Amino acid sequence: MIAYYMCFGLFLVGLYGVITRRNLVKIAVSLSIMEISTFLFFALVGYIDKGVAPIVNPADPDKIYVDPLPQALVLTAIVIGLATTSLLMAVIIRLYRKYKTFDIREIKELRG
Amino acid sequence: MNQLLPLFVVIPLSATFLIMIFGRFFRDFNKYFASCVLLFLVVLSFYSLINLNGGLSLYKVGGWQPVNKIPIGIYMMMDGFNSLIVCIINLVGFLAVFYSISYIKRYTAENYFYALFCLLIGGMNGVVLSGDLFNIFVFLEISVISSYALVAFGVEKNELEASFKYQVLGGLASFLILFGIGFIYWKTKTLNIADIRAAFSNGYDKKYYLFVQLLILSGFGLKAAIIPFHAWLPDAHSSAPSPISAMLSGVFIKAVGIYVIIRLFFNMFVISEEMAILITTLGTLSMVIGVFLAIGQWDIKRLLAYHSISQMGYVVMSVGIGMILVSRGLKPEVASLAITGGIYHLINHAAFKGLLFLNAGAIEYTLGTRNLKEMGGLAKVMPVTSATSFIASMSISGIPPFNGFFSKLIIIIAAVMARFYLLAALAVIVSIITLASFLKFQRYAFYNKPANPERPEVKEVPFPMVFSMIVLSILCLLLSLLVIPSVREAVLAPAVDILTDPLKYSTFILGQ
């Protein structure tokens, strides 16, 4: 059970980073931490005590297998996460070229 | 098995790749090909709406049949509710892409624009048609990533800042949704919406259930920009190119936000009274605060974006009233009237808000400014833009005989019949403030004397832009026909049935 709490703690660490950091790249890193905590959570959901990798062996019907579906979901989610993170970094690079700074306090054209 | 359903996703996705490949070699291939694809999708969506005739249809991807009545494949399904949403996605999408033929010449990299546009449409169609929780997430991410890129399409200071803000909040929303999906899978061991409903009806832990509902509501609420989560919307919607603003405001927040909330809370969760009251409160707050934020705006697109928040508040409030009545088990006919009003306003909002953003784009195209104080006197030189924006403004403020009047009327009547007198009064007041705000827009943009007397000669925008605006304004008038009882029975009643009678949905899908 402690693993689940730690996973949720990691999510909160990421959330804290997104809220308090002022550097654009650090915000992106904090988002990645949150993302990874959700992936860990999915991997934990699929885990069964003493389970083995789900390659079914007909000779041994009593074997316990872990749930393979969350692993498939995590693979999909990792690919999506890669796309969002790289797009975010691309936007950060363009922002740096326009403003010459990573500080979010300097970037405030849009108000109200 | 309905073989047409996967086409709604496959066609735009393959169009994306074809545009990227062939657009490099043939000039003008991208715009005409994208328009043809969208036109075909419009025909297909209306054909399936008529063919569906109020029933349900299902497609199992890969032909995976259920084992022991437990669905194991990916399901795509279409019913009375999402067929309407698919129709408005593709119709507004077609008009926006046709409008872009002349509008997007201002930007470089047209190929990327049309490719991302098709990707956006494919993602939204996927979200709406999917009958499976994880696929909703995957398609949501497809459409959301393309919308991030499209918001930043101008790559100037404002666009990049808006896109960054949107990406951070959108990413947060995605993780909340993913966490919610993980929690649901943990307990139910299934991802199919109908099957989750069946698993929940066997009993559940109350605290866990509330936690999951809050995660899902805040995730999709962020995507739908309901009021505590609205910070990104005015920036993102006002910075995007105008056809994209029309898509984002007119369709996107509904398809990936409001639609999913309504679908999941009616058809997947068993509605509890606390959640219904929470949703109604959030809707009312959006409706009131959104319109007050809109009053002081002088940038046309920001003004329209804040009004989007307010109008979505109407939809959420009205559906929430329906939820409260359904959860209490009282007055089923009033509950279905409230939900009818919500869905009707959802459809109407796509027509008039899409039109208003296209008008804003036309003004920006000719004058090069979005500030209301620098306009004026456009009524004589741009007659079509002026007339269509007048229709849209009257429509959004609820003046008969335009469509906005009838849907607001249904919402207010339903609120009174359900004895939520305060909400009914607030709906009327917000409607009056909306009217004031749009009279300001009309006066400063079209009727005042020109702010700058020596401005160069302006003339009406080119044909593709005029065509899209005229079609949408005709739609604003035609949609008021939906209030006639026989038409309403045929079009809106199946959508309400599927929501108020959740067993119909799950028994159909599990019975296949």
Side-chain angles (χ1 to χ4, degrees):
Chain A
M1 201 61 203
I2 187 129
Y4 292 98
Y5 286 118
M6 284 169 75
C7 180
F8 195 66
L10 200 59
F11 186 82
L12 295 180
V13 168
L15 191 60
Y16 176 79
V18 170
I19 293 166
T20 57
R21 294 298 100 182
R22 307 253 182 240
N23 187 317
L24 297 180
V25 179
K26 284 185 181 166
I27 292 177
V29 171
S30 309
L31 272 178
S32 295
I33 292 175
M34 283 170 75
E35 195 180 321
I36 283 165
S37 78
T38 38
F39 298 163
L40 270 178
F41 178 68
F42 264 90
L44 284 174
V45 163
Y47 179 72
I48 294 168
D49 241 3
K50 298 194 185 73
V52 295
I55 302 161
V56 177
N57 181 4
D60 188 6
D62 297 333
K63 221 173 209 167
I64 300 170
Y65 301 108
V66 297
D67 188 353
L69 189 67
Q71 300 174 1
L73 303 185
V74 167
L75 279 182
T76 318
I78 287 174
V79 176
I80 293 169
L82 178 70
T84 43
T85 313
S86 47
L87 186 63
L88 186 59
M89 291 315 285
V91 168
I92 289 174
I93 291 169
R94 294 302 276 267
L95 270 172
Y96 183 74
R97 283 191 196 153
K98 295 277 175 204
Y99 287 88
K100 302 289 175 214
T101 175
F102 280 126
D103 192 338
I104 201 157
R105 282 168 296 187
E106 313 266 315
I107 301 169
K108 47 180 182 188
E109 294 265 309
L110 298 168
R111 275 289 156 92
Chain B
M1 291 279 266
N2 182 346
Q3 303 294 347
L4 292 179
L5 290 186
L7 291 183
F8 285 106
V9 181
V10 172
I11 290 175
L13 286 188
S14 41
T16 307
F17 296 109
L18 288 178
I19 286 171
M20 287 306 286
I21 295 167
F22 292 108
R24 285 175 186 277
F25 303 119
F26 306 105
R27 221 172 138 262
D28 292 347
F29 171 82
N30 46 22
K31 52 189 77 155
Y32 298 116
F33 185 65
S35 309
C36 290
V37 165
L38 264 298
L39 186 60
F40 178 70
L41 284 174
V42 172
V43 173
L44 194 64
S45 57
F46 277 93
Y47 171 77
S48 16
L49 176 68
I50 293 162
N51 217 13
L52 196 66
N53 202 10
L56 288 93
S57 66
L58 187 68
Y59 179 81
K60 293 170 193 146
V61 178
W64 288 91
Q65 297 302 326
V67 179
N68 301 332
K69 295 233 165 198
I70 298 168
I72 56 169
I74 294 168
Y75 283 23
M76 296 179 84
M77 46 79 55
M78 191 181 231
D79 58 26
F81 181 32
N82 60 10
S83 56
L84 290 174
I85 310 275
V86 167
C87 283
I88 62 172
I89 290 174
N90 292 306
L91 186 61
V92 178
F94 166 66
L95 293 171
V97 87
F98 196 69
Y99 178 96
S100 326
I101 288 179
S102 35
Y103 182 85
I104 213 70
K105 283 189 184 127
R106 298 145 41 100
Y107 296 89
T108 51
E110 287 184 43
N111 257 345
Y112 294 116
F113 176 82
Y114 290 104
L116 285 169
F117 195 94
C118 288
L119 202 60
L120 182 72
I121 297 280
M124 282 196 289
N125 280 342
V127 169
V128 172
L129 289 175
S130 171
D132 171 305
L133 209 49
F134 195 73
N135 270 281
I136 288 182
F137 174 74
V138 171
F139 285 119
L140 177 86
E141 286 297 302
I142 292 178
S143 58
V144 159
I145 289 174
S146 50
S147 77
Y148 296 152
L150 283 168
V151 166
F153 200 70
V155 290
E156 287 303 321
K157 283 184 169 181
N158 284 353
E159 283 88 343
L160 290 170
E161 187 189 341
S163 176
F164 179 78
K165 215 184 246 183
Y166 182 23
Q167 285 189 43
V168 171
L169 286 173
L172 187 60
S174 300
F175 306 140
L176 288 174
I177 293 166
L178 201 55
F179 245 109
I181 293 172
F183 272 103
I184 289 171
Y185 183 78
W186 194 10
K187 288 284 174 191
T188 60
K189 296 292 171 205
T190 176
L191 287 170
N192 189 294
I193 292 178
D195 204 23
I196 291 171
R197 171 84 183 196
F200 277 149
S201 55
N202 296 334
Y204 47 81
D205 181 7
K206 193 127 195 256
K207 278 181 191 159
Y208 147 83
Y209 196 65
L210 195 66
F211 181 60
V212 171
Q213 280 183 320
L214 284 174
L215 276 179
I216 294 277
L217 181 66
S218 44
F220 286 106
L222 257 165
K223 300 279 185 207
I226 301 174
I227 209 76
F229 313 117
H230 69 288
W232 57 271
L233 184 135
D235 298 344
H237 287 196
S238 60
S239 302
S242 286
I244 298 303
S245 309
M247 279 309 284
L248 290 182
S249 236
V251 190
F252 185 75
I253 52 172
K254 304 185 183 74
V256 309
I258 310 276
Y259 164 80
V260 185
I261 289 178
I262 295 176
R263 166 68 79 208
L264 295 188
F265 276 87
F266 277 103
N267 287 142
M268 193 175 85
F269 295 118
V270 182
I271 307 167
S272 58
E273 200 180 333
E274 312 91 88
M275 283 316 281
I277 291 173
L278 179 64
I279 289 174
T280 315
T281 319
L282 290 182
T284 317
L285 279 178
S286 312
M287 182 175 87
V288 177
I289 298 176
V291 83
F292 278 109
L293 289 172
I295 290 176
Q297 298 299 327
W298 288 98
D299 180 333
I300 339 171
K301 283 169 82 176
R302 276 186 99 77
L303 182 133
L304 296 178
Y306 277 116
H307 276 295
S308 282
I309 299 176
S310 162
Q311 301 297 316
M312 281 303 99
Y314 273 98
V315 176
V316 175
M317 182 193 84
S318 154
V319 173
I321 291 174
M323 274 186 191
I324 292 180
L325 293 178
V326 167
S327 69
R328 286 179 184 160
L330 298 168
K331 303 187 210 161
E333 69 289 341
V334 181
S336 49
L337 188 69
I339 299 169
T340 309
I343 295 171
Y344 188 16
H345 200 65
L346 192 84
I347 298 166
N348 289 343
H349 183 259
F352 55 64
K353 191 47 70 67
L355 177 53
L356 281 168
F357 268 111
L358 295 188
N359 292 140
I363 294 170
E364 203 188 348
Y365 182 82
T366 47
L367 291 187
T369 176
R370 298 206 306 249
N371 192 337
L372 275 176
K373 285 177 183 160
E374 293 168 18
M375 296 170 193
L378 292 175
K380 285 201 187 102
V381 284
M382 297 169 75
V384 180
T385 312
S386 168
T388 50
S389 87
F390 183 74
I391 291 175
S393 302
M394 292 302 105
S395 213
I396 194 173
S397 353
I399 304 290
F402 301 108
N403 56 4
F405 169 72
F406 295 108
S407 50
K408 283 185 183 175
L409 188 69
I410 293 179
I411 291 174
I412 292 165
I413 290 174
V416 170
M417 281 167 80
R419 307 195 178 207
F420 291 107
Y421 298 114
L422 177 67
L423 299 189
L426 280 176
V428 175
I429 293 167
V430 168
S431 185
I432 292 167
I433 302 175
T434 310
L435 178 64
S437 166
F438 275 93
L439 285 180
K440 176 181 108 177
F441 165 56
Q442 287 293 317
R443 184 166 157 232
Y444 276 91
F446 295 107
Y447 294 105
N448 261 7
K449 286 212 174 68
N452 174 10
E454 308 84 69
R455 85 172 162 217
E457 197 70 13
V458 291
K459 56 179 194 298
E460 189 57 83
V461 289
F463 168 73
M465 296 166 82
V466 168
F467 172 81
S468 295
M469 292 192 287
I470 289 178
V471 171
L472 275 174
S473 59
I474 293 171
L475 207 62
C476 276
L477 281 168
L478 277 185
L479 278 174
S480 39
L481 290 179
L482 277 181
V483 81
I484 299 169
S486 57
V487 184
R488 202 174 69 198
E489 281 301 308
V491 181
L492 292 174
V496 178
D497 272 356
I498 201 85
L499 294 176
T500 49
D501 183 12
L503 279 180
K504 194 174 164 191
Y505 179 86
S506 55
T507 47
F508 175 80
I509 288 186
L510 295 178
Q512 288 290 306

